[in-house]
Amino acid sequence: MEAHERYDWSLTRPSDAVVEVVADQVNGSSTSFGPLYDRIDPDALDAIFRTDGSDRPGDGTRVSFRLAERFVSVHATGEVVVRRPVRDGTDG
């Protein structure tokens, strides 16, 4: 199963969006998987995608990592993609 959600980074912090989408995918709350900071620094993730007008990342910017046995990709366009790995363990 795969989830695609789009956010406005000026209204929602990327770290909050990741927790929300992953929690939806694991049918639980954010406490049903470990803290985000065990995988990635939430403040650093938010700083990469800040939208205050200075140093805005290019639309091709993406950060990917694993959380709760899912692959997570956060995009400068505001998209958060969460998917399960395929059965053979590859990203494919």
Side-chain angles (χ1 to χ4, degrees), residues 24-37:
D24 286 348
Q25 284 293 296
V26 299
N27 297 318
S29 70
S30 59
T31 60
S32 63
F33 53 92
L36 181 59
Y37 61 77

Side-chain angles (χ1 to χ4, degrees), residues 11-92:
L11 302 174
T12 305
R13 294 183 338 201
S15 58
D16 291 339
V18 165
V19 171
E20 181 178 303
V21 177
V22 172
D24 286 348
Q25 284 293 296
V26 299
N27 297 318
S29 70
S30 59
T31 60
S32 63
F33 53 92
L36 181 59
Y37 61 77
D38 280 352
R39 293 296 180 182
I40 191 167
D41 181 332
D43 294 330
L45 181 65
D46 295 341
I48 290 169
F49 298 109
R50 72 174 170 244
T51 58
D52 62 5
S54 65
D55 302 329
R56 183 174 179 267
D59 284 344
T61 302
R62 176 182 72 186
V63 174
S64 299
F65 54 96
R66 288 185 70 140
L67 178 66
E69 299 179 8
R70 304 292 193 280
F71 293 108
V72 178
S73 293
V74 181
H75 301 259
T77 58
E79 187 174 24
V80 176
V81 179
V82 177
R83 63 185 171 87
R84 285 182 167 268
V86 293
R87 286 190 171 251
D88 66 2
T90 64
D91 290 350

